[in-house]
Amino acid sequence: DNITLIPLPPYSPELNAMEQIWEWLGEVPDPEIPVVSVVDLGIVRKVDVRESSVAIDVAPTYSGCPATEVIEETIVSSLASRGLMGVLVRRVLSPPWTTDWISDEGREKLRAYGIAPPSKSSDKRELLGKAAIACPRCESEQTSLVSEFGSTACKASWKCDDCLEPFEYFKCI
């Protein structure tokens, strides 16, 4: 893509621009799971602030994720709404994103929303439905895989055998 960098408002060394930008990025929701931000998901890898531009490195959650372009556009428009017009989002593929990049706060937000967060260990047994997945509502580990396919490609459908509630599990990748 040919992207023209537009100058930022006057740069002020007193303003901690990097910290402010990370804070604003922490408010950019994931389009598929709006309770978590792009920072909670760990897909924002780097913010590079220059006097005339800001470059943000973003890793897609997986190859072919349909939300990737939406996330990139939302980041640019969110920062533009705050006066940053020289924003360049760079898609980075290395190192690849895994669910280990989700912050502890992001995992808790997923759980509170009713989605079982992945463990931090990228355990392949979880991909096969053989690991214990705790119900996000009652915390029982007496759960069953219903379908490896949930409402989005990154989630699977489960049910709790104790409280009988269905729930989604954010797949471990």
Side-chain angles (χ1 to χ4, degrees), residues 25-171:
L25 290 170
E27 297 172 9
V28 175
D30 174 77
E32 295 176 331
I33 310 170
V35 295
V36 292
S37 74
V38 295
V39 172
D40 293 327
L41 285 177
I43 63 173
V44 177
R45 295 292 176 82
K46 180 180 175 186
V47 174
D48 186 17
V49 178
R50 307 267 169 114
E51 286 190 31
S52 62
S53 66
V54 175
I56 300 169
D57 291 357
V58 177
T61 54
Y62 69 92
S63 178
C65 175
T68 301
E69 288 82 14
V70 172
I71 290 168
E72 293 168 352
E73 291 169 9
T74 303
I75 287 171
V76 171
S77 65
S78 176
L79 296 179
S81 74
R82 291 173 162 94
L84 296 180
M85 306 312 271
V87 177
L88 170 66
V89 175
R90 299 182 295 214
R91 193 175 303 171
V92 296
L93 303 177
S94 182
W97 180 88
T98 71
T99 50
D100 290 341
W101 290 76
I102 300 173
S103 70
D104 290 340
E105 184 178 343
R107 290 169 195 283
E108 188 51 43
K109 288 177 182 179
L110 287 170
R111 186 177 291 105
Y113 191 62
I115 298 173
S119 71
K120 282 191 163 185
S121 65
S122 297
D123 186 344
K124 298 299 180 209
R125 291 177 302 154
E126 291 179 9
L127 294 172
L128 302 172
K130 295 181 180 175
I133 305 298
C135 174
R137 291 175 179 84
C138 73
E139 299 182 10
S140 168
E141 289 188 356
Q142 300 302 310
T143 59
S144 304
L145 176 67
V146 173
S147 173
E148 290 192 32
F149 305 99
S151 61
T152 63
C154 58
K155 293 182 281 192
S157 295
W158 285 70
K159 70 174 179 127
C160 180
D161 299 329
D162 284 340
C163 73
L164 304 178
E165 288 292 320
F167 65 93
E168 289 192 301
Y169 168 66
F170 197 110
K171 294 178 188 175

Side-chain angles (χ1 to χ4, degrees), residues 11-24:
Y11 180 73
S12 169
E14 296 83 38
L15 173 67
N16 188 339
M18 181 79 70
E19 184 176 310
Q20 181 64 71
I21 292 168
W22 275 103
E23 183 179 317
W24 289 336

